[in-house]
Amino acid sequence: MHFVLCTCWVSSYNSFIVSKKDLQKKAEELRRQINYHDYRYYVLNDPVISDVEYDTLMRELKELEKNQPELITPDSPTQRVGGQPTEGFPPVEHKVPMLSLDNTYSHDELRDFDGRVKKTLEKVSYRYVAEPKVDGVAVSLKYENGIFVLGSTRGNGVVGDDITANLKTINSIPLHILTDDKDLLNIEVRGEVYISRAGFQRLNAEREEEGQNLFANPRNAAAGSLKQLNPRIVAKRRLNIFVHSIAKPPSERFGSHYDTLQILKEAGFRINPHNRLLENVEEVLRFCDDWEPNRDGLDYEVDGIVVKIDSFEYREVLGETTSVPRWAIAYKYPARQATTVVDEIKWSVGRTGVVTPIAILKPVSLSGSTIGRATLHNADEIKRLDVREGDTVIIEKGGEVIPKVVKVVAEKRPRKSKPARTPAKCPICSSPLARYEGEAAIRCENVSCPMQVRRRIEYFACRSAMDITGLGTVVVDQLVSAGLVKDYGDLYSLKAEQIESLERMGKKSAPNLISAISDSKERPFDRVLFALGIRQVGFHAARLLASRFSSIAELARSTAEEISSIGGIGPIIAESVVKFFQDEANLKVIGKLRRAGLKLSQKRKRKGRLPLKNKTFVLTGALSRYTREQAGDLIVSLGGKLSASVSRKTDYCVAGENPGSKLDKAKALGVKIVDEEEFKRLTKKS
């Protein structure tokens, strides 16, 4: 209804007494809103409106400018392809622009598109290719002599970001094309990088546990992953790709888009198996209708169907505008939503003490499942939505996976409703809650909080930590409720007869669990560090800490500056580690682990001398032989220190390609500057 009213207002403004000044103000306001939402989406990866709402704003502006061309300005969102490239990656110019697509939401609009195609091509017979529109991030892959040499984001359609290193972590992207076809050895293909439903759930669960903001949807998660400066983090996200087009047909024998996709498939590229070659627009409409209810069966998000003219020759005839092709369009499915009532707002406590609001709903069917709960993320989100108990709300599955409240139906609000109150005390243990500057989360800092204890023990026992088979949620809850364990250190003093008394635990299960707990004592030092559950310290950070410090005792004595000198460890992680070891309760638990015989230290084997002992290094620019992490690890392993900033205490500034402001500061302070070749000589062991 909102869209219809806006369109009517624009198209029939002559029926009213509307001044040019009013129209200009309307256009300026629409541009302001669109630019803001572009920033939220493309730069911050934190959208605050749905795609449909965004498209409605853009349509209003396009219609207004169409009727009043004098209102068009060079900086109007309608006059560009997309957002700005992200800072932090070298720019890449697209010789063939990566255009966006116009969206359509109805059969009539899709038929209108076909009518425009038919009018331009006149009596020519043409076919369409219909492809599931994967909800991900558009990328370009360039190959030279059959080898993957450059990967980039769409950026603003003309200039994107060089994310080659990140794209190389995606196993489904061939590093070498599997063909001897000379036409394919030097090509550029485009595709959509995405994260699976399961991967999205796992990633958001980890972020929620750490008190980080959740990704709004899988596309948002994929975009955030590709903007990571550390490829190792990207690799952990398990991204995937479907290649959907070629930037430019490499020779005249490539005349059909559909046939080209089959050739690319044989060459090793991952092509969506559900693409179809269709004879006319009515077949396209049936294809769109068939997929709408069936897309839930896929392991990735599909938010519509992309419809393209198959013939490359006819595409040339149809041409393009400054921002979109006239030979393709996206048929978008409506967001899947449901309306229900908030019965109660509860607050749950996680392993790190993060207290998260949950909306308890009157059960409602949504996307084939019954929904009774929805996340509200944090106190700021409750305030933004102004959601209250008793409110009628619209919910949808964020990324079609996690139920979330997207809007309150204010007209149906009960008269006596009161704003939701953020708790001042933990809902489990009644300890005061804290909120740190720059964080959206509120936390219970009582390490003895029963719910935190349960979740920390589960984390300690998980496969990537101590890998204690049989110690799941149900057993942990029973152990804590029975008072048998108060922290994960108590696990190692459990007796079989104590476990036998628990519900569903018999004479066979109890000894097996005791044996699994005993076996966990053999886990290496870095796994123990990870299992401690130090905030911000994931598996990779634990390994970096273990490579620098030979024991828990040495790590506990270290300063934040010493810890942050490790390549890959920043000041936030360093401060978190220091704070962990300042807590007496944590030290008591570590004492239990030490008495139980866990590996809280490791022998440091160093071969040769330490040529960098007590020398402080700063890295700037890109090195060809090493990643930042590899160079940092090498410096630390040879006795040196790595600093994030240049100071008078810096001994060496290692300058690679495209160095930043650190190089200028190093020159100003008289710090010795070395290139990669000299760095290699410095780090050579003897």
Side-chain angles (χ1 to χ4, degrees):
M1 177 63 76
H2 172 67
F3 167 65
V4 174
L5 289 175
C6 291
T7 304
C8 292
W9 178 86
V10 175
S11 61
S12 60
Y13 69 91
N14 283 323
S15 302
F16 301 88
I17 303 175
V18 182
S19 69
K20 291 285 186 180
K21 188 174 182 181
D22 290 335
L23 291 172
Q24 185 176 353
K25 285 183 178 179
K26 178 68 175 178
E28 289 173 352
E29 174 59 20
L30 287 169
R31 291 185 193 115
R32 186 195 66 77
Q33 291 185 48
I34 292 169
N35 286 331
Y36 170 73
H37 292 303
D38 279 345
Y39 172 75
R40 297 287 310 194
Y41 185 91
Y42 292 105
V43 179
L44 299 183
N45 294 315
D46 185 26
V48 293
I49 62 172
S50 69
D51 287 354
V52 175
E53 289 172 300
Y54 178 91
D55 289 339
T56 299
L57 291 173
M58 185 65 82
R59 286 191 179 197
E60 283 189 62
L61 182 58
K62 286 181 178 179
E63 190 70 14
L64 183 58
E65 292 180 347
K66 178 182 176 181
N67 285 282
Q68 292 290 313
E70 67 272 19
L71 295 178
I72 299 175
T73 61
D75 62 343
S76 174
T78 63
Q79 303 302 301
R80 64 177 182 175
V81 178
Q84 296 302 312
T86 306
E87 294 182 4
F89 296 94
V92 174
E93 183 176 353
H94 301 303
K95 293 183 178 179
V96 178
M98 295 182 70
L99 302 177
S100 59
L101 295 177
D102 258 342
N103 294 325
T104 181
Y105 293 90
S106 70
H107 283 203
D108 287 344
E109 289 180 340
L110 194 50
R111 288 192 179 99
D112 287 344
F113 166 75
D114 180 65
R116 294 192 294 272
V117 170
K118 186 174 297 183
K119 183 177 181 181
T120 302
L121 297 181
E122 295 181 337
K123 297 181 180 181
V124 172
S125 176
Y126 54 89
R127 295 187 295 182
Y128 288 109
V129 177
E131 306 166 358
K133 187 177 181 299
V134 179
D135 202 11
V137 179
V139 299
S140 179
L141 313 175
K142 187 176 181 181
Y143 288 80
E144 292 179 359
N145 296 319
I147 298 173
F148 177 45
V149 295
L150 179 65
S152 57
T153 63
R154 178 176 168 273
N156 65 3
V158 178
V159 178
D161 300 321
D162 182 344
I163 55 168
T164 308
N166 287 345
L167 290 174
K168 282 184 176 180
T169 68
I170 302 175
N171 292 332
S172 50
I173 293 179
L175 299 181
H176 198 291
I177 300 177
L178 305 177
T179 183
D180 294 325
D181 188 334
K182 293 182 179 180
D183 285 338
L184 292 178
L185 296 182
N186 299 284
I187 60 170
E188 182 181 349
V189 298
R190 271 78 188 268
E192 198 81 3
V193 170
Y194 69 92
I195 189 169
S196 68
R197 293 174 189 261
F200 176 67
Q201 281 185 302
R202 181 180 62 250
L203 177 59
N204 259 355
E206 293 170 355
R207 293 176 71 84
E208 187 167 20
E209 191 68 27
E210 294 295 334
Q212 301 180 56
N213 290 330
L214 302 187
F215 286 116
N217 49 50
R219 176 183 51 201
N220 195 236
S225 299
L226 290 177
K227 289 179 180 178
Q228 291 287 334
L229 295 176
N230 184 350
R232 296 182 184 180
I233 296 177
V234 183
K236 292 179 182 178
R237 302 282 172 85
R238 301 177 188 175
L239 301 176
N240 213 329
I241 189 173
F242 280 122
V243 168
H244 56 56
S245 60
I246 194 164
K248 184 179 181 181
S251 71
E252 290 183 1
R253 71 183 179 90
F254 290 80
S256 160
H257 169 68
Y258 187 80
D259 291 345
T260 299
L261 290 180
Q262 308 318 305
I263 294 171
L264 291 176
K265 180 180 179 181
E266 293 175 1
F269 292 99
R270 190 164 184 262
I271 308 299
N272 196 309
H274 304 296
N275 296 345
R276 291 292 180 269
L277 181 61
L278 303 170
E279 293 298 324
N280 52 56
V281 71
E282 294 306 319
E283 287 191 7
V284 171
L285 288 170
R286 285 195 291 273
F287 182 88
C288 294
D289 290 346
D290 288 344
W291 266 111
E292 184 170 3
N294 293 322
R295 54 188 169 133
D296 284 333
L298 300 172
D299 188 41
Y300 49 89
E301 299 303 322
V302 168
D303 62 356
I305 300 294
V306 176
V307 182
K308 305 173 182 176
I309 289 293
D310 181 52
S311 167
F312 290 136
E313 179 184 354
Y314 296 164
R315 291 183 183 184
E316 289 289 331
V317 175
L318 290 163
E320 57 201 32
T321 69
T322 56
S323 58
V324 298
R326 293 191 177 96
W327 45 263
I329 200 164
Y331 180 90
K332 297 288 288 290
Y333 293 132
R336 288 179 282 194
Q337 299 179 330
T339 302
T340 185
V341 175
V342 178
D343 283 337
E344 186 179 2
I345 295 176
K346 287 188 174 182
W347 297 77
S348 65
V349 182
R351 171 181 64 86
T352 60
V354 173
V355 181
T356 304
I358 303 292
I360 307 301
L361 310 168
K362 288 192 183 301
V364 63
S365 179
L366 177 61
S367 298
S369 58
T370 300
I371 307 299
R373 299 160 63 92
T375 180
L376 292 170
H377 301 307
N378 52 54
D380 288 347
E381 181 70 357
I382 291 179
K383 185 176 181 180
R384 185 183 73 81
L385 291 169
D386 189 23
V387 60
R388 309 178 184 185
E389 292 181 351
D391 272 349
T392 297
V393 295
I394 297 173
I395 65 168
E396 68 181 33
K397 286 188 175 181
E400 310 296 352
V401 178
I402 301 174
K404 63 177 182 179
V405 175
V406 295
K407 187 176 182 180
V408 173
V409 183
E411 308 89 74
K412 295 186 178 182
R413 170 169 286 165
R415 288 185 178 180
K416 295 183 179 180
S417 73
K418 296 180 179 179
R421 297 180 64 181
T422 301
K425 295 182 178 181
C426 174
I428 304 298
C429 68
S430 298
S431 297
L433 297 178
R435 179 172 180 175
Y436 294 99
E437 185 177 351
E439 287 191 3
I442 55 175
R443 297 178 183 274
C444 170
E445 298 193 306
N446 174 20
V447 294
S448 299
C449 174
M451 190 57 69
Q452 289 187 60
V453 170
R454 287 174 165 84
R455 302 293 84 87
R456 280 198 297 271
I457 294 173
E458 285 181 45
Y459 184 85
F460 182 85
C462 74
R463 181 173 296 181
S464 55
M466 303 307 287
D467 193 14
I468 303 176
T469 303
L471 195 57
T473 301
V474 175
V475 176
V476 170
D477 286 349
Q478 289 189 73
L479 289 172
V480 175
S481 296
L484 296 177
V485 296
K486 295 181 179 178
D487 52 59
Y488 45 69
D490 290 337
L491 294 172
Y492 297 93
S493 59
L494 283 172
K495 306 297 181 185
E497 52 269 24
Q498 292 176 305
I499 298 176
E500 286 178 16
S501 64
L502 301 177
E503 187 178 351
R504 297 181 183 177
M505 296 293 289
K507 291 186 177 181
K508 186 176 180 180
S509 300
N512 287 343
L513 180 54
I514 292 296
S515 177
I517 293 173
S518 180
D519 291 345
S520 72
K521 296 178 183 179
E522 298 304 312
R523 307 289 178 256
F525 177 52
D526 59 346
R527 292 272 290 276
V528 177
L529 267 183
F530 172 65
L532 294 179
I534 304 172
R535 276 189 62 206
Q536 309 293 340
V537 177
F539 190 74
H540 175 63
R543 293 190 68 178
L544 290 177
L545 291 171
S547 71
R548 170 64 176 81
F549 300 100
S550 60
S551 68
I552 286 283
E554 184 183 0
L555 178 58
R557 292 193 301 268
S558 64
T559 64
E561 185 177 3
E562 290 172 328
I563 296 171
S564 62
S565 70
I566 303 171
I569 300 291
I572 294 176
I573 294 177
E575 290 292 345
S576 182
V577 172
V578 170
K579 186 174 181 180
F580 179 86
F581 288 107
Q582 289 174 342
D583 193 307
E584 287 296 327
N586 292 333
L587 297 179
K588 288 180 180 179
V589 176
I590 291 171
K592 294 178 183 180
L593 300 181
R594 181 178 290 107
R595 290 189 291 274
L598 273 70
K599 295 184 177 181
L600 302 184
S601 63
Q602 61 187 1
K603 291 183 179 179
R604 182 73 66 208
K605 294 182 180 180
R606 295 190 186 273
K607 296 181 180 180
R609 63 190 183 88
L610 300 178
L612 308 183
K613 187 175 182 179
N614 297 327
K615 299 295 183 182
T616 300
F617 286 74
V618 169
L619 302 173
T620 182
L623 302 177
S624 61
R625 294 185 180 88
Y626 318 88
T627 64
R628 284 289 185 95
E629 290 70 29
Q630 289 170 339
D633 289 348
L634 180 59
I635 290 168
V636 172
S637 70
L638 297 177
K641 296 180 180 180
L642 190 66
S643 177
S645 58
V646 178
S647 70
R648 295 188 184 279
K649 295 182 179 180
T650 304
D651 295 292
Y652 295 98
C653 175
V654 182
E657 294 184 11
N658 300 314
S661 59
K662 294 176 185 178
L663 179 61
D664 296 332
K665 188 171 182 181
K667 290 178 179 178
L669 294 176
V671 173
K672 184 174 179 58
I673 298 167
V674 299
D675 60 16
E676 190 165 355
E677 286 300 321
E678 191 168 354
F679 176 68
K680 184 180 178 182
R681 290 193 293 271
L682 283 171
T683 55
K684 186 177 180 180
K685 303 177 191 177
S686 61

